[in-house]
Amino acid sequence: MNILLNNRSGEPIYSQIYSQLKGLIISGELDEDEALPSIRSLAKDLRISAITTKRAYDDLEKEGFIYTVPSKGCFVAPKNMELIKEDHLCRIEEDLQDIKKMAISCGIGYEEILRMVKIAWNEKE
């Protein structure tokens, strides 16, 4: 597992850890019930405070992506497809807002965007 932190991004460190771990879980790179590094171990590897790492883990646990076993550590939770679907829907909505802004800025109308979506939807991968 490789987590990269960017001190210049403006995004808080705990949020970067949270986002990257969440991405690894959703993509399946981290398997269900796979042990995560301990909070202290990850903090040491990333050269950050254990409090920062704990916050990322706490947020992941609150959202159901990981679970904690006392005296054993944190593990990847079984995939909750509803949770994953909701995450993807949020990302799609954000992307659609970006598309809308770009389209408006260059005079592309709704119908043209809809045609583009239909073409993209029907393309073979």
Side-chain angles (χ1 to χ4, degrees), residues 3-19:
I3 295 180
L4 302 173
L5 300 178
N6 181 351
N7 293 326
R8 297 181 186 169
S9 76
E11 181 182 11
I13 299 296
Y14 78 88
S15 181
Q16 292 179 49
I17 296 167
Y18 166 87
S19 298

Side-chain angles (χ1 to χ4, degrees), residues 101-108:
K101 288 176 189 173
M102 284 190 290
I104 289 170
S105 73
C106 58
I108 298 173

Side-chain angles (χ1 to χ4, degrees), residues 1-121:
M1 180 175 63
N2 196 14
I3 295 180
L4 302 173
L5 300 178
N6 181 351
N7 293 326
R8 297 181 186 169
S9 76
E11 181 182 11
I13 299 296
Y14 78 88
S15 181
Q16 292 179 49
I17 296 167
Y18 166 87
S19 298
Q20 290 179 50
L21 285 174
K22 182 177 171 182
L24 292 170
I25 293 167
I26 288 174
S27 72
E29 289 184 51
L30 293 175
D31 295 324
E32 291 180 13
D33 299 316
E34 183 174 336
L36 296 175
S38 73
I39 290 171
R40 286 192 176 112
S41 170
L42 184 59
K44 183 179 176 187
D45 290 347
L46 297 175
R47 295 187 177 122
I48 59 171
S49 166
I51 295 168
T52 302
T53 306
K54 181 169 176 19
R55 182 166 178 191
Y57 276 31
D58 285 347
D59 288 353
L60 286 164
E61 188 164 20
K62 282 179 195 169
E63 291 198 17
F65 289 102
I66 67 172
Y67 65 94
T68 302
V69 176
S71 302
K72 299 279 185 189
C74 295
F75 299 85
V76 176
K79 286 190 178 167
N80 179 337
M81 293 313 289
E82 280 301 312
L83 197 61
I84 292 170
K85 181 180 178 180
E86 186 62 32
D87 180 67
H88 286 301
L89 283 173
C90 288
R91 290 173 36 198
I92 290 168
E93 288 172 1
E94 290 170 3
D95 289 347
L96 285 172
Q97 288 301 318
D98 291 341
I99 289 168
K100 178 182 172 184
K101 288 176 189 173
M102 284 190 290
I104 289 170
S105 73
C106 58
I108 298 173
Y110 170 79
E111 293 299 325
E112 192 170 347
I113 293 294
L114 192 55
R115 271 194 304 277
M116 293 169 70
V117 169
K118 286 179 181 178
I119 290 168
W121 193 269

